[in-house]
């Protein structure tokens, strides 16, 4: 997978996982004005995993619509979201409001990404249920061992009263997460990712939110997924489960808390005709809140170069290992990727 292709993945992520600039409400005031017994009872009500489960469940089961904004440095992008929940079924539309027109439609795990400038519709299966306002949430039982919970008080986001909680990392291998969670529904309204100095690396938040949905919302989403006339359809093949060790790749990361989620072969596809689909092998590791992906592709696939980079909280590291290119990506410090890289070993099967 080329650095150019991976940068496009980041751009798509930025488009659909957007967040709001800081409101000027002072959290310290909320902390000072909140009675101690209320703070203690809330802190005891949920642990880190409890908050993650409640947020994840609400994002799937609630119907809502609104505007949310992504902000990193001088990049600010707004999107409109409509989410309609009906029993166990979900219907969702996310449309960019800035720059070129892009739209993502989802019916349960079927995802349709419309690239208007290229007259392309990319159809694929969702791999992880971590699109804002959901969080990654895995079955990793050690999330409480690597993050501690700090309840900061009550604040307002988009006119909604919200709990403010922070997941503080217990080591240097992950970032802190500050969350604003609606008091009534527990929908995630704002999220910030912060480095060790407390600097906000990126944030995502609703600037407008309305709860409830209409059957017309569902019907419109279904109709739009079928409106593909005059568009070039790119269907991403299903991911294949593989055994990386059988292929010679062994990785036992020493970073605490991270456990392997997936080993799969996936096609990397873009709407650009000059970039043919490329199958790469991928291992995904998670600590219960954030993830690190390790991609492996043959040395002969295309011209590459070693290097590292970052965008917001996301970092990347590219290294040649034997006769393959290894690319590591995650919303973790660069040092964490270095630790993962040091644990990778290839043994000819």
């Amino acid at each position: 997978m080329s650095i150019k292709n991976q940068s496009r993945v980041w751009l798509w992520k930025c488009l659909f996982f957007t967040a709001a600039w800081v409101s000027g409400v002072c959290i310290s005031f909320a902390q000072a004005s909140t009675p101690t017994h209320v703070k203690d009872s809330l802190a005891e009500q949920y642990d880190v995993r409890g908050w993650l489960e409640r947020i994840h469940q609400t994002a799937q089961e609630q119907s809502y619509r609104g505007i949310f904004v992504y902000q990193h440095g001088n990049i600010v992008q707004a999107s409109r979201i409509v989410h309609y929940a009906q029993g166990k079924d979900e219907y969702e539309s996310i449309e960019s409001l800035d720059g070129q027109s892009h739209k993502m439609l989802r019916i349960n795990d079927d995802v349709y990404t419309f690239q208007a400038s290229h007259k392309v519709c990319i159809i694929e299966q969702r791999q992880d249920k971590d699109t804002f306002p959901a969080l990654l949430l895995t079955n990793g039982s050690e999330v409480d061992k690597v993050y501690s919970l700090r309840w900061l008080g009550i604040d307002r986001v988009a006119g909604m009263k919200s709990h403010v909680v922070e997941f503080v990392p217990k080591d240097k291998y992950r970032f802190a997460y500050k969350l604003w969670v609606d008091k009534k529904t527990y929908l995630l309204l704002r999220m910030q990712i912060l480095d060790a100095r407390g600097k906000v690396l990126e944030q995502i938040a609703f600037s407008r939110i309305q709860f409830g949905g209409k059957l017309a919302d569902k019907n419109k989403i279904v109709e739009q997924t079928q409106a593909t006339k005059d568009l070039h359809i790119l269907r991403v093949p299903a991911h294949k489960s593989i055994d990386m060790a059988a292929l010679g790749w062994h990785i036992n990361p020493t970073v605490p808390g991270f456990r392997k989620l997936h080993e799969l072969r996936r096609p990397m596809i873009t709407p650009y005709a000059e970039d043919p689909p490329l199958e790469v092998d991928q291992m995904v590791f998670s600590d219960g809140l954030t993830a690190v992906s390790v991609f492996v592709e043959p040395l002969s696939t295309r011209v590459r170069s070693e290097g590292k980079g970052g965008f917001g909280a996301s970092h990347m590291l590219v290294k040649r290992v034997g006769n393959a290119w290894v690319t590591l990506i995650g919303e973790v410090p660069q040092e964490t990727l270095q630790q993962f890289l040091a644990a990778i070993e290839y043994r000819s099967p």
Side-chain angles (χ1 to χ4, degrees):
M1 181 180 56
S2 69
I3 294 180
K4 180 175 69 172
N5 282 349
Q6 188 57 52
S7 67
R8 289 171 182 159
V9 174
W10 286 350
L11 289 176
W12 295 343
K13 168 192 164 185
C14 293
L15 171 65
F16 298 125
F17 300 7
T18 53
W21 45 79
V22 185
S23 77
V25 181
C26 182
I27 299 299
S28 60
F29 175 80
Q31 287 178 278
S33 61
T34 304
T36 303
H37 70 278
V38 175
K39 176 187 287 190
D40 292 343
S41 64
L42 282 169
E44 294 172 0
Q45 183 178 0
Y46 294 117
D47 55 12
V48 173
R49 181 158 186 82
W51 279 99
L52 292 177
E53 290 176 345
R54 187 71 183 268
I55 291 169
H56 194 77
Q57 180 181 8
T58 299
Q60 297 179 79
E61 297 179 352
Q62 284 283 333
S63 293
Y64 48 86
R65 63 174 60 239
I67 305 294
F68 61 94
V69 184
Y70 170 84
Q71 186 264 330
H72 164 246
N74 61 354
I75 296 175
V76 178
Q77 293 176 307
S79 294
R80 177 186 294 112
I81 184 172
V82 176
H83 183 270
Y84 182 82
Q86 185 179 50
K88 294 183 179 180
D89 293 325
E90 294 180 78
Y91 303 83
E92 188 170 83
S93 169
I94 303 178
E95 181 179 5
S96 65
L97 300 179
D98 300 317
Q100 294 185 350
S101 175
H102 297 78
K103 180 181 292 186
M104 185 192 76
L105 303 173
R106 180 171 64 84
I107 301 177
N108 295 323
D109 291 334
D110 295 326
V111 180
Y112 303 75
T113 302
F114 292 84
Q115 301 274 355
S117 59
H118 298 277
K119 295 184 178 180
V120 165
C121 175
I122 301 174
I123 304 175
E124 58 188 324
Q125 286 284 303
R126 181 172 61 163
Q127 183 68 27
D128 295 302
K129 300 178 180 181
D130 59 350
T131 307
F132 181 84
L135 292 172
L136 179 61
L137 185 62
T138 68
N139 58 4
S141 59
E142 297 188 353
V143 64
D144 290 308
K145 296 181 180 179
V146 292
Y147 295 94
S148 60
L149 174 66
R150 181 182 300 162
W151 192 83
L152 299 179
I154 302 297
D155 196 5
R156 293 177 74 241
V157 176
M160 301 290 181
K161 286 187 177 181
S162 58
H163 299 297
V164 186
V165 296
E166 185 174 4
F167 297 161
V168 183
K170 296 182 179 181
D171 56 37
K172 61 184 179 180
Y173 297 115
R174 62 209 89 227
F175 294 126
Y177 286 75
K178 185 179 289 187
L179 311 177
W180 284 254
V181 183
D182 180 52
K183 283 191 66 176
K184 293 183 178 180
T185 65
Y186 281 78
L187 185 73
L188 180 62
L189 300 178
R190 176 189 292 170
M191 179 180 72
Q192 292 180 341
I193 304 179
L194 305 95
D195 66 13
R197 300 186 300 274
K199 177 184 177 182
V200 177
L201 299 174
E202 62 183 62
Q203 61 178 325
I204 180 168
F206 282 102
S207 60
R208 183 185 306 167
I209 180 73
Q210 178 182 351
F211 291 98
K214 302 176 182 179
L215 186 60
D217 295 334
K218 167 191 169 181
N219 295 338
K220 184 176 181 180
I221 291 171
V222 173
E223 291 172 1
Q224 289 178 327
T225 61
Q226 299 169 350
T228 56
K229 184 180 179 180
D230 300 326
L231 293 178
H232 179 47
I233 306 299
L234 295 175
R235 295 184 181 273
V236 179
H239 303 154
K240 305 173 186 177
S241 295
I242 59 174
D243 184 349
M244 293 294 287
L247 298 174
W249 292 96
H250 303 267
I251 176 169
N252 295 299
T254 58
V255 182
F258 280 93
R259 295 292 178 266
K260 188 185 299 179
L261 293 184
H262 313 295
E263 291 182 317
L264 48 89
R265 180 161 292 164
R266 60 181 300 170
M268 305 302 293
I269 191 169
T270 80
Y272 298 88
E274 71 273 16
D275 293 340
L278 171 68
E279 284 195 335
V280 299
D281 296 335
Q282 179 186 16
M283 290 177 279
V284 182
F285 299 82
S286 171
D287 65 2
L289 180 58
T290 192
V292 171
S293 287
V294 180
F295 296 93
V296 178
E297 63 176 280
L299 195 65
S300 59
T301 54
R302 61 189 66 201
V303 177
R304 301 293 306 276
S305 60
E306 296 183 344
K308 60 184 179 180
F311 181 85
S314 296
H315 288 88
M316 178 180 67
L317 177 63
V318 181
K319 183 76 174 180
R320 176 177 173 174
V321 179
N323 291 321
W325 288 109
V326 175
T327 303
L328 301 95
I329 299 174
E331 289 186 334
V332 294
Q334 186 68 235
E335 184 174 353
T336 306
L337 300 184
Q338 295 284 355
Q339 290 290 324
F340 270 85
L341 179 63
I344 297 175
E345 181 181 2
Y346 178 75
R347 307 172 202 156
S348 180

